């Protein structure tokens, strides 16, 4: 493959990976928050004083969107897009694309289930407001795996884009 | 700074003094009553329970419920968004209780509220009916004739329906239909408007494709045939409302009624607004009546005989002298029996901690109070919670902001203990955030960089001096630090388990379920580390020795509750893995890995912050407004990041404490000590100065 074409393909794949991570993460967060909000709205109609406690439960599934955003920004940052001088070999691009997809799926699924866990916690708080602390723990347990996915993504991006790593500009040039 | 020592008490007095004794105990607020018959089973056949009616208080509470229902509709309490985030108890002064609403005044206000409620409910019900009728009549409003006129003829029947143009044309060609019925098209408003011919022509021109109103007339005896004929041409009959005159007249009538009803509701609203002046007095009365009801319910746990009255309960040891002196002075004939709680008794728990530890006690309260025979973990989680929070939030500017915000909340909420302590928790967490923000080189992300604040700006110089490592540049090193913190924290948890066991005199648990893990786990860490880093042979030998000693000890002891040598050794062997036994190597790996979130959360704060900085900087070159947009995006972005990150930092730090740390040594779930008295979750009586 021609050197420049290879770089273009690599770029496109890397951007697609970032897009998938951001898009799936945000979509999952949107759905998760909607699930929690529906449960909270029902409770607040009867017990408005619980607003503060429920707001935290509603906000929890929102973090996956940020994790996706961070994954995307890290791809842009470490591949040199933000500095305007970037080059990604096709194999690195493929790796970033698949990683972005994997992270995106993990974020999407965990956000939706975190929304369900938040809704369950909300119904617990509605019946027993003194259990707010424990109720907060259930959705936090689900989020663990979104955190693991984010961390894995950050480390993979670092390793893939480190100087001398697989298929970066120097190797393409050779 | 610990779990308060509790004593069981039994007080016996003459029946005549029972009421006064309860009042005194209520005033003292140091005794939690328990079921006297459960405490003294032998008395079951001899003594009877106190039958205390709560009807008096329940009646008043029902009246107040109706009043608050009206106030919520017409004069809802206005609370700011921030105030709505935390529900705080009502702080009541003694004078308010003394001069509060009495029975007569409540009755007067209730009668007024009841009458207003009746008017409101009746009006609302009628409004619903009228609106439903209007919705039903709306499609027929343009019908140009009086509905009742259609049924005036004895021999002729009339029917209104809808037909499409195509069907109308077919009906016009149907000779059989012409013999059975007569029909004509009805143009909306045809008879109602002046100059109707032109209007009708215009209507037909513009609505030619829409279904049309068709009015059919036929003789009474031809009804069946006419219906069949019309139906065959797609005629959809419209059921006409049972009204006199035209639909338009009826709609006008109903709209008039609706306006009157709404005016009546508005009138009720004005009167309720006047009633709302007493809102605080109603709240005080509600708190009082609820308290009186609870006191009456508590009284049901007491028993009495023909001459004597007996109550049982728990009291903190430190409050005992106060109770004794009051009983001696005011109830000289009463006798007091004090005992230690039994070993298996479910004793209510009261914690007394220093003011510096009180903020983290909030976390213990959230998780559940420690069991009476265990120990209060609050002082032991101060350091690690603040450490975790600081690493997760790790930004100097955010830390300063959190300190200022928490301090402001503390100043405003000094009288609300719960909110005050939570704000104080965040205040200390803010200081920790500042420290880790400096160490990890984050000040509004990377806002101190030259592209934002210029070359050689003082903030960049300062951050250059204080920062130790940038997690964005060296994430693996920070990850290893996070995992190391995790390991140390797990060892700390195991050590606390040993402390708890030794405190209860359970040396076996301390050694076999604590010490042996503290031997094997560091050994395992050393052995595994040799796979990644070159360690001196002597260190490896020490690691192997620790692992072997620990493993042998665990295999021999973890199955100690099993019967038979094989079962014991088998259980011991499996316990190393972690399915059974007090801990396990896999559980240790899982727990330690969980601390990687410290790095992830720290990176989240930094990366989102620097993303906002970058976005803001892109707007900066725009002529004239660029700098304004730059500042605006920075402010909005960082406020947003601040709140989302503080939430993440708190929740995940709390999770590390609750799951990974508490999992090693702590079992909460004790009932809180709830003495008789006025104070509750909803209302607190302000102490006299």
């Amino acid at each position: 493959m021609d050197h420049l074409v290879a770089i273009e393909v690599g770029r496109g794949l890397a951007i697609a990976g970032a897009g998938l991570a951001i898009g799936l993460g945000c979509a999952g967060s949107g759905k998760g928050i909607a699930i929690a909000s529906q449960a909270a709205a029902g409770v607040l109609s009867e017990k408005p004083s619980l607003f503060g406690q429920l707001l935290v439960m509603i906000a929890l599934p929102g973090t996956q969107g940020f994790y996706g955003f961070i994954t995307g920004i890290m791809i842009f940052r470490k591949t040199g897009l933000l500095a305007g001088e970037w080059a990604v070999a096709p194999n690195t691009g493929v790796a970033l694309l698949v990683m972005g997809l994997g992270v995106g799926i993990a974020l999407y699924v965990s956000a939706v289930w975190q929304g369900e866990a938040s809704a369950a916690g909300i119904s617990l708080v509605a019946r027993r407001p003194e259990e707010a602390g424990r109720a907060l723990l259930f959705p936090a347990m689900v989020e663990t795996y979104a955190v693991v996915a984010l961390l894995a993504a950050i480390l993979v991006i670092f390793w893939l884009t480190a100087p001398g790593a697989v298929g970066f500009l120097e190797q393409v040039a050779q | 700074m610990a779990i308060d020592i509790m004593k069981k008490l039994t007080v016996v007095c003459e029946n005549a003094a029972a009421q006064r004794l309860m009042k005194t105990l209520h005033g003292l607020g140091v005794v939690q009553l328990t079921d006297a018959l459960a405490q003294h089973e032998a008395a079951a056949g001899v003594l009877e329970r106190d039958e205390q009616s709560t009807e008096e208080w329940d009646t008043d509470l029902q009246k107040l419920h109706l009043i608050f229902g009206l106030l919520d509709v017409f004069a809802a309490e206005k609370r700011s968004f921030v105030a709505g985030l935390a529900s705080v108890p009502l702080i009541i002064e003694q004078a308010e209780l003394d001069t509060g609403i009495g029975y007569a005044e409540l009755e007067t206000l209730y009668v007024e509220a009841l009458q207003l409620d009746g008017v409101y409910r009746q009006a609302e019900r009628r409004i619903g009916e009228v609106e439903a009728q209007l919705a039903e009549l709306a499609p027929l409003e343009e019908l140009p004739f009086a509905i009742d006129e259609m049924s005036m003829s004895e021999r002729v029947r009339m029917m209104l329906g809808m037909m499409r143009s195509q069907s109308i044309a077919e009906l016009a060609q149907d000779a059989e239909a012409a013999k059975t019925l007569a029909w004509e098209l009805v143009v909306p408003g045809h008879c109602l408007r002046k100059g109707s011919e032109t209007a009708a022509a215009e209507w037909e021109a513009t609505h030619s494709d829409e279904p049309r109103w068709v009015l059919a007339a036929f003789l009474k005896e031809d009804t069946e045939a006419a219906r069949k004929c019309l139906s065959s041409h797609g005629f959809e009959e419209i059921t006409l409302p049972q009204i006199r005159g035209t639909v338009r007249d009826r709609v006008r009538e109903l709209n008039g009624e609706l306006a009157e009803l709404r005016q009546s509701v508005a009138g009720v609203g004005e009167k309720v607004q006047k009633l709302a002046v007493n809102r605080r007095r109603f709240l005080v009365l509600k708190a009082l009546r609820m308290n009186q009801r609870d006191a009456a319910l508590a009284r049901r746990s007491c028993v009495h005989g023909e001459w004597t009255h007996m109550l049982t309960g728990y009291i903190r040891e430190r409050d005992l002298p106060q109770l004794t002196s009051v009983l001696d002075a005011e109830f000289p004939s009463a006798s007091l029996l004090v005992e230690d709680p039994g070993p298996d008794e479910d004793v209510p728990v009261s914690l007394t901690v220093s003011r510096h530890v009180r903020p983290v006690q909030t976390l213990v309260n959230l998780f559940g109070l420690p069991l009476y025979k265990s120990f209060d973990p609050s002082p032991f989680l101060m350091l690690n919670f603040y450490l975790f929070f600081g690493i997760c939030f790790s930004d100097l500017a955010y830390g300063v902001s959190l300190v200022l915000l928490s301090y402001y909340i503390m100043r405003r909420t000094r009288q609300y203990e719960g909110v005050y302590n939570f704000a104080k928790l965040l205040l200390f967490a803010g200081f920790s955030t500042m420290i880790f923000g400096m160490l990890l080189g984050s000040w509004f992300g990377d806002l101190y960089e030259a592209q934002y604040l210029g070359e050689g700006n003082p903030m960049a110089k300062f951050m250059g001096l204080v920062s130790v490592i940038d997690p964005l540049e060296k994430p693996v090193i920070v990850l290893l630090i996070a995992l190391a913190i995790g390991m140390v924290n797990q060892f700390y948890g195991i050590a606390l388990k040993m402390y708890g066991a030794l405190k209860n005199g359970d040396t076996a648990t301390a050694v076999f379920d604590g010490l042996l893990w503290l031997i094997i786990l560091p050994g395992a860490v050393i052995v595994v580390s040799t796979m990644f880093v070159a360690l001196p042979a002597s260190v490896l030998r020490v690691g192997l020795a620790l692992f072997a000693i620990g493993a042998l000890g665990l295999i021999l002891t973890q199955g100690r509750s099993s019967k038979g040598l094989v079962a014991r050794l088998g259980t011991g062997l499996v316990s190393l893995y972690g399915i059974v036994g007090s801990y396990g190597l896999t559980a240790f790996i899982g727990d330690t890995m969980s601390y990687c979130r410290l790095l992830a959360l720290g990176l989240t704060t930094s990366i989102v912050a620097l993303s906002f900085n970058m976005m803001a900087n892109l707007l900066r070159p725009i002529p004239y407004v660029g700098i304004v947009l730059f500042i605006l995006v920075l402010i909005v972005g960082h406020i947003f990041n601040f709140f989302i990150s503080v939430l993440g930092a708190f929740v995940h730090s709390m999770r590390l404490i609750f799951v990974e740390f508490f999992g090693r040594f702590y079992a909460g779930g004790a009932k809180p000590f709830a003495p008789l008295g006025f104070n509750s979750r909803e209302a607190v009586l302000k102490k006299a100065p």
Side-chain angles (χ1 to χ4, degrees):
Chain A
M1 192 187 289
D2 178 63
H3 179 131
L4 290 174
V5 174
I7 289 175
E8 287 301 321
V9 171
R11 282 178 179 179
L13 292 169
I15 291 174
L20 282 169
I22 297 170
L24 287 168
C26 291
S29 280
K31 192 165 181 179
I33 288 178
I35 292 167
S37 299
Q38 284 163 10
V43 174
L44 287 177
S45 64
E46 292 292 323
K47 297 181 177 175
S49 61
L50 294 177
F51 177 68
Q53 285 155 314
L54 300 193
L55 187 67
V56 176
M57 311 276 284
I58 294 169
L60 277 178
T63 42
Q64 276 84 342
F66 287 95
Y67 297 161
F69 176 71
I70 289 163
T71 307
I73 291 287
M74 287 302 289
I75 290 176
F76 295 146
R77 188 181 159 101
K78 299 305 286 184
T79 54
L81 172 67
L82 299 180
E85 43 190 43
W86 70 317
V88 182
N91 51 354
T92 307
V94 169
L96 290 174
L97 169 69
V98 176
M99 190 215 60
L101 176 65
V103 170
I105 291 171
L107 295 180
Y108 180 86
V109 174
S110 67
V112 172
W113 284 109
Q114 195 175 13
E116 298 279 2
S118 284
I122 284 166
S123 60
L124 169 61
V125 175
R127 289 188 192 93
R128 303 182 64 185
E130 70 276 10
E131 295 291 343
R134 293 183 200 190
L136 198 59
L137 205 55
F138 304 145
M141 303 286 272
V142 180
E143 191 169 311
T144 297
Y145 302 96
V147 174
V148 171
L150 169 69
L151 194 61
I154 291 172
L155 293 174
V156 168
I157 294 165
F158 265 92
W159 290 328
L160 278 176
T161 58
V166 281
F168 215 60
L169 182 59
E170 289 81 2
Q171 277 118 331
V172 176
Q174 286 163 17
Chain B
M1 196 159 70
I3 298 174
D4 292 319
I5 297 171
M6 303 297 288
K7 294 283 180 187
K8 271 168 68 176
L9 60 83
T10 302
V11 181
V12 180
C13 67
E14 69 269 34
N15 274 336
Q19 189 78 26
R20 197 163 54 87
L21 176 66
M22 288 301 288
K23 203 174 172 186
T24 304
L25 292 180
H26 192 270
L28 282 175
V30 295
V31 174
Q32 175 181 334
L33 292 186
T34 54
D35 186 350
L37 282 182
Q39 293 288 333
H40 298 282
E41 287 172 2
V46 185
L47 301 175
E48 288 175 22
R49 275 184 199 285
D50 281 8
E51 288 302 327
Q52 188 74 21
S53 170
T54 58
E55 192 183 345
E56 185 182 352
W57 324 121
D58 287 334
T59 307
D60 276 8
L61 285 169
Q62 279 168 8
K63 289 175 183 174
L64 287 165
H65 182 72
L66 180 131
I67 293 171
F68 279 117
L70 261 184
L71 294 185
D72 284 346
V73 175
F74 294 103
E77 197 177 10
K78 289 186 178 65
R79 298 181 75 190
S80 68
F81 177 80
V82 177
L85 290 176
S87 56
V88 290
L90 184 73
I91 306 287
I92 299 172
E93 300 203 16
Q94 185 60 47
E96 289 183 283
L97 289 179
D98 299 339
T99 60
I101 299 173
Y103 289 101
E105 189 180 358
L106 178 65
E107 186 58 29
T108 311
L109 292 168
Y110 169 68
V111 168
E112 185 187 347
L114 188 65
Q115 187 254 332
L116 291 173
D117 187 64
V119 173
Y120 166 63
R121 284 181 190 282
Q122 202 175 355
E124 280 295 301
R125 193 169 52 244
R126 182 63 195 146
I127 285 172
E129 288 169 6
V130 170
E131 282 177 341
Q133 280 185 42
L134 283 170
E136 196 186 327
L137 293 176
L140 303 173
E141 196 177 347
E142 295 289 304
L143 211 58
F145 41 74
I147 301 292
D148 53 336
E149 285 175 5
M150 289 176 66
S151 55
M152 282 173 76
S153 167
E154 278 190 21
R155 291 204 58 210
V156 177
R157 292 284 176 269
M158 288 188 180
M159 199 188 285
L160 184 73
M162 301 287 280
M163 289 180 78
R164 295 203 162 269
S165 305
Q166 176 84 26
S167 304
I168 293 169
E170 286 168 13
L171 181 64
Q173 301 298 319
D174 189 342
E176 281 302 311
K179 290 178 193 167
T180 319
L181 53 91
W183 59 273
E184 68 176 45
L185 293 175
V186 180
V187 176
H190 181 80
C191 301
L192 302 174
R193 296 193 186 113
K194 287 185 178 172
S196 53
E197 293 303 325
T198 322
E202 278 174 10
W203 193 92
E204 279 183 37
T206 51
H207 296 77
S208 55
D209 293 335
E210 291 181 15
R212 305 279 303 273
W213 275 338
V214 173
L215 182 64
F218 40 82
L219 291 173
K220 188 180 173 186
E221 54 270 26
D222 293 337
T223 302
E224 271 307 302
R227 275 184 188 278
K228 202 172 171 185
C229 174
L230 286 167
S231 175
S232 70
H233 288 291
F235 178 91
E236 289 174 25
E237 188 183 350
I238 296 170
T239 309
L240 293 170
Q242 300 292 316
I243 58 171
R244 298 179 73 83
T246 64
V247 174
R248 174 161 289 198
D249 288 341
R250 180 64 184 149
V251 166
R252 198 177 297 126
E253 216 174 275
L254 288 172
N255 277 329
E257 188 184 354
L258 199 59
E260 279 175 26
L261 288 166
R262 289 199 168 130
Q263 208 172 351
S264 155
V265 171
V268 170
E270 280 170 24
K271 287 178 183 164
V272 173
Q273 296 278 357
K274 287 177 190 162
L275 206 63
V277 176
N278 293 304
R279 179 191 299 279
R280 185 172 170 84
R281 297 178 72 215
F282 288 136
L283 286 168
V284 170
L285 183 65
K286 185 180 172 188
L288 179 65
R289 292 289 182 261
M290 285 180 76
N291 187 259
Q292 286 167 323
R293 188 184 61 176
D294 290 346
L297 288 172
R299 175 99 193 252
R300 288 180 184 174
S301 59
C302 304
V303 290
H304 64 274
E306 195 176 347
W307 307 104
T308 56
H309 178 268
M310 181 173 79
L311 63 86
T312 58
Y314 289 102
I315 184 168
R316 284 178 288 230
E317 189 183 41
R318 62 181 157 89
D319 294 327
L320 205 50
Q322 187 189 4
L323 177 71
T324 314
S325 64
V326 170
L327 289 180
D328 288 345
E330 297 181 27
F331 302 91
S333 61
S335 66
L336 171 69
L337 173 68
V338 179
E339 302 165 273
D340 285 323
D344 300 323
E345 213 165 302
D346 187 11
V347 184
V349 167
S350 160
L351 300 177
T352 303
V353 293
S354 74
R355 61 193 177 93
H356 295 302
V357 180
R358 221 166 284 154
V360 283
Q361 200 201 326
T362 311
L363 296 175
V364 177
N365 290 340
L366 282 175
F367 187 81
L369 290 172
L371 300 175
Y372 182 63
K373 288 289 177 188
S374 63
F375 65 96
D376 177 16
S378 309
F380 303 101
L381 56 89
M382 278 175 71
L383 185 68
N384 35 10
F385 177 78
Y386 294 135
L387 177 79
F388 300 158
F389 189 99
I391 298 175
C392 289
F393 204 24
S394 65
D395 187 287
L396 175 56
Y398 290 174
V400 172
S401 309
L402 186 59
V403 166
L404 294 176
L405 183 67
S406 308
Y407 183 68
Y408 172 75
I409 296 171
M410 283 168 63
R411 290 283 303 271
R412 295 286 302 271
T413 59
R414 197 169 287 275
Q415 53 186 343
Y416 305 115
E417 198 183 2
V419 184
Y420 176 83
N421 283 332
F422 188 70
K424 201 169 178 183
L425 180 78
L426 292 180
L427 178 89
F428 291 140
F431 285 120
S432 171
T433 304
M434 286 166 61
I435 293 167
F436 283 98
M438 286 191 280
L439 294 176
L440 301 178
S442 184
W443 181 78
F444 287 120
D446 61 348
L447 196 62
Y448 57 86
E449 294 282 358
Q451 70 264 33
Y452 303 115
L453 296 185
E455 286 289 347
N457 66 75
M459 205 61 221
K461 283 180 189 168
F462 175 73
M463 294 306 285
L465 280 174
V466 294
S467 68
V468 175
I469 189 168
D470 181 359
L472 273 169
E473 294 302 325
K474 292 175 180 168
V476 178
I477 293 175
V478 181
L479 176 65
L480 291 174
I481 294 171
L483 295 179
I485 290 171
M487 285 179 203
V488 172
N489 203 48
Q490 291 310 104
F491 296 154
Y492 181 37
I494 296 169
L496 287 173
K497 180 173 185 148
M498 290 175 65
Y499 168 71
L502 289 173
K503 190 171 169 284
N504 288 334
D506 187 357
T507 315
T509 299
V511 174
F512 301 149
D513 296 344
L515 185 63
L516 288 175
W517 285 111
L518 283 181
I519 293 171
I520 190 174
L521 291 175
V525 171
I526 293 170
V527 173
V528 172
S529 301
T530 56
M531 297 176 190
F532 303 99
V533 287
L535 290 174
S538 57
V539 176
L540 178 61
R541 275 199 296 277
V542 171
L544 283 169
L546 287 172
F547 186 82
I549 294 167
L552 188 64
L554 288 166
I555 290 168
L556 292 174
T557 60
Q558 288 298 289
R560 59 187 184 277
S561 57
S562 305
K563 285 182 181 173
L565 186 65
V566 177
R568 285 186 184 187
L569 293 178
T571 308
L573 198 62
V574 176
S575 75
L576 284 183
Y577 182 78
I579 299 171
V580 293
S582 53
Y583 201 20
L585 289 171
T586 51
F588 175 68
I589 294 167
D591 287 346
T592 306
M593 290 306 290
S594 187
Y595 289 82
C596 71
R597 76 186 66 231
L598 294 176
L599 167 65
L601 270 290
L603 282 176
T604 304
T605 309
S606 310
I607 295 173
V608 176
L610 66 88
S611 302
F612 282 123
N613 294 344
M614 196 179 63
M615 282 190 269
N617 212 31
L618 292 173
L619 300 169
R620 211 170 173 182
I622 299 173
Y624 307 114
V625 292
I627 189 72
V628 178
L629 291 174
F630 172 72
I631 294 168
L632 200 66
V633 170
L634 282 182
I635 291 172
V636 174
H638 284 292
I639 288 176
F640 183 73
N641 190 30
F642 175 85
F643 284 107
I644 202 83
S645 297
V646 88
L647 172 67
F650 181 79
V651 168
H652 286 280
S653 305
M654 189 178 83
R655 180 229 141 96
L656 285 175
I657 294 289
F658 283 6
V659 181
E660 278 76 19
F661 185 57
F662 276 180
R664 296 287 58 75
F665 69 97
Y666 182 66
K671 286 182 204 157
F673 177 63
L676 274 178
F678 187 85
N679 294 351
S680 68
R681 191 182 283 269
E682 287 79 25
V684 172
L685 188 60
K686 199 173 177 180
K687 286 174 190 161

